[in-house]
Amino acid sequence: MEDKSCPFKIILGSSSIARRKILAEMGYEFTLMSADIDEKDIRKENPEDLVMALAEAKADSILSKLQTIDNQEKDEIPTILIAADTVVIYEGVVREKPANEKEAREFIQGYSGGHAATVGSVLVTNLKTGFRKGAWDRVEIYFHEIPDEIIEKLIEEGTVLHVAGGLIIEHPLIKPYVKQVVGTTDSVMGLPKALTQKLIKEAL
């Protein structure tokens, strides 16, 4: 695999396993830092503004951590910080992580035979130059009918309780019931590759 990590360093400002996996698939080496923010404190009318505001809050939280640690050795090479956020939209309403099993079940039952969308943001900051730019991506997802026993298995397994809208289209149990994805799966998983690549290039 081509090593793209030489001319700059990357910090992925996320604890998401899916985002970690996607960035690694893109061929980058990176370090991880997570943001200490209360996402419920940040409220915006439309989902695009919300995911951008959340990514900015995450980036700011990590920047203040870095200044506290003061480990920004005056490097010759730039460090790129990537922050991201994703929400699910169902019938015009923003859905975050389900509060409990009951809500997760209601969420997934709603997708059955229906449709949902994800809006995901990516925000890239060059810590050396101060350059910062973000953008968002929207994906539409259409579902076949999802049998109740599949929904129960998903709840029992538990991963759906920890993701926005209880939505994991790449999950082996749900995959057969995904009818169509208008957009890219990596965007639904939390990090649109093409957009991330474009923003990294612009930041350097």
Side-chain angles (χ1 to χ4, degrees):
M1 184 168 67
E2 175 197 353
D3 183 8
K4 304 175 187 169
S5 64
C6 297
F8 56 95
K9 289 181 185 171
I10 290 181
I11 297 170
L12 176 61
S14 174
S15 51
S16 153
I17 294 165
R19 288 194 184 108
R20 212 180 300 176
K21 194 172 151 226
I22 292 164
L23 196 57
E25 279 172 6
M26 289 170 70
Y28 291 117
E29 284 179 17
F30 50 91
T31 51
L32 294 167
M33 281 188 83
S34 57
D36 299 323
I37 63 162
D38 184 352
E39 299 195 7
K40 301 233 178 309
D41 282 350
I42 297 165
R43 284 288 157 260
K44 297 280 176 194
E45 277 302 303
N46 76 53
E48 294 80 8
D49 290 343
L50 178 63
V51 291
M52 289 309 302
L54 285 164
E56 283 183 16
K58 289 177 183 180
D60 291 341
S61 163
I62 290 163
L63 284 172
S64 64
K65 268 192 199 179
L66 284 169
Q67 279 151 6
T68 316
I69 306 166
D70 201 27
N71 64 353
Q72 266 303 99
E73 320 104 42
K74 295 294 162 243
D75 277 338
E76 286 308 302
I77 65 166
T79 298
I80 299 291
L81 169 63
I82 300 171
D85 193 77
T86 308
V87 293
V88 172
I89 299 146
Y90 177 74
E91 294 186 344
V93 179
V94 169
R95 285 184 166 179
E96 290 167 76
K97 289 171 189 159
N100 48 42
E101 291 188 0
K102 180 177 177 284
E103 190 169 54
R105 188 176 290 109
E106 285 165 7
F107 281 2
I108 302 165
Q109 282 167 343
Y111 305 141
S112 179
H115 135 270
T118 58
V119 175
S121 62
V122 182
L123 182 76
V124 169
T125 309
N126 183 325
L127 304 189
K128 194 178 166 89
T129 64
F131 173 93
R132 176 182 276 195
K133 190 171 179 188
W136 54 267
D137 185 51
R138 184 179 172 117
V139 179
E140 306 287 334
I141 306 138
Y142 296 86
F143 293 91
H144 296 291
E145 296 288 338
I146 306 166
D148 285 345
E149 61 269 26
I150 294 291
I151 297 174
E152 289 314 312
K153 276 185 189 168
L154 281 165
I155 305 279
E156 207 176 294
E157 193 248 14
T159 319
V160 292
L161 298 168
H162 307 291
V163 293
L167 185 76
I168 319 177
I169 62 165
E170 72 281 7
H171 195 292
L173 283 171
I174 207 89
K175 223 176 182 173
Y177 302 100
V178 176
K179 189 179 188 176
Q180 189 188 10
V181 177
V182 184
T184 63
T185 302
D186 44 64
S187 184
V188 178
M189 287 169 71
L191 199 67
K193 286 181 183 175
L195 182 57
T196 303
Q197 187 69 46
K198 178 176 171 283
L199 290 169
I200 290 172
K201 277 188 174 156
E202 288 181 28
L204 290 167

